[in-house]
Amino acid sequence: MNKLDDRDIRVALRKMVSTYKNAKVFDEYTTYSGKSRADLVAINGHVNAFEIKSDYDSLSRLENQVKEYDLNFERNCIVAGEKYIEKVSKVVPDHWGIILARRNRESRVSLNYKRVATLNPNLDFVSFAGLLESSKFRKIVLDDNFYEKSGLERGEVNSMFKYDLIAYLDSTLSQYQKSILKKVIRAKLKEE
C-alpha cells in the first residue's frame, strides 16, 4: 500500500472542492467553541467541512471532531486513506460523506466518494452563527432588522455579548427567520 500523508490528500481535495460552483475554500477553519478545526471548508450553497485522516494520522480525536463538526457545519465529509476507510465509516454518522483517497496508476491522488454527504440534522444555530466574527454578526442583525423581529432595540444589540445575542435570537426568532439569517451568515462567511 502506498501511504498518503495529509499534504497529498489536502492538495487533491482542495483541487476537487475548488470546482464546486461559486465555492470559496478555506484551510484550517476553527469551530465556534475552538475545540476543533476543520481541515478544509468550502462555502457555496452550504458550509461544507472536510476532515482529513491520512495514513499517518490517528483516529483518537475523531469522535469529538464529529460532534464539533455536527454543531457547526451544514454538510460534513471525511476523507481517508485506505488504512482507515473502513474504521471511519463505522464512526461517522450516516449523514456524513466518506471519500477514499488513494494513489492511482500514475501516482496521483484520486478521491472517490464512498458516500455523499447529506444535510446535517444536528446543526446548532448558536454554533453556526458563532462562526461569524462579532462585528459582522451585529451588522447583519442591525442592517437586516433581525433585532426588530426578536423584540430588541438597536442599542441592546450593541451592548450584548455575541453569545448572548445569538442565544437570544435563537430563542425568539421563528425557524423561518433563522433559516433566512443562516443564509445571510453563509454569504458573509464566504466574504471572509
Side-chain angles (χ1 to χ4, degrees), residues 19-48:
T19 66
Y20 289 6
K21 185 177 181 184
N22 300 320
K24 176 102 183 239
V25 181
F26 300 90
D27 285 296
E28 303 294 327
Y29 204 98
T30 305
T31 60
Y32 178 50
S33 70
K35 293 179 183 174
S36 266
R37 188 171 25 231
D39 289 314
L40 208 89
V41 167
I43 303 174
N44 56 2
H46 293 95
V47 179
N48 305 280

Side-chain angles (χ1 to χ4, degrees), residues 76-183:
N76 298 303
C77 196
I78 189 153
V79 186
E82 292 181 86
K83 177 179 178 182
Y84 289 128
I85 198 68
E86 293 305 318
K87 288 181 184 174
V88 300
S89 64
K90 293 176 178 137
V91 176
V92 300
D94 291 343
H95 60 273
W96 275 56
I98 300 173
I99 298 174
L100 170 62
R102 63 178 161 204
R103 288 206 189 277
N104 60 24
R105 290 186 186 140
E106 295 84 39
S107 288
R108 288 193 296 254
V109 176
S110 68
L111 300 174
N112 299 308
Y113 274 94
K114 295 297 215 179
R115 182 170 73 207
V116 175
T118 58
L119 280 178
N120 170 13
N122 305 317
L123 183 68
D124 177 62
F125 176 80
V126 173
S127 297
F128 181 77
L131 293 173
L132 197 59
E133 101 182 20
S134 187
S135 61
K136 290 182 181 177
F137 184 75
R138 284 187 205 310
K139 186 167 173 31
I140 288 171
V141 171
L142 293 170
D143 290 354
D144 293 5
N145 298 322
F146 284 102
Y147 69 97
E148 289 177 346
K149 295 173 181 127
S150 67
L152 289 172
E153 299 291 326
R154 285 186 78 86
E156 290 176 298
V157 171
N158 288 321
S159 67
M160 293 175 85
F161 287 110
K162 176 179 152 183
Y163 176 82
D164 294 333
L165 177 58
I166 294 170
Y168 182 81
L169 293 172
D170 184 35
S171 67
T172 57
L173 293 177
S174 69
Q175 285 302 113
Y176 175 71
Q177 290 166 331
K178 285 193 274 190
S179 71
I180 293 169
L181 182 52
K182 282 196 297 190
K183 186 176 181 180

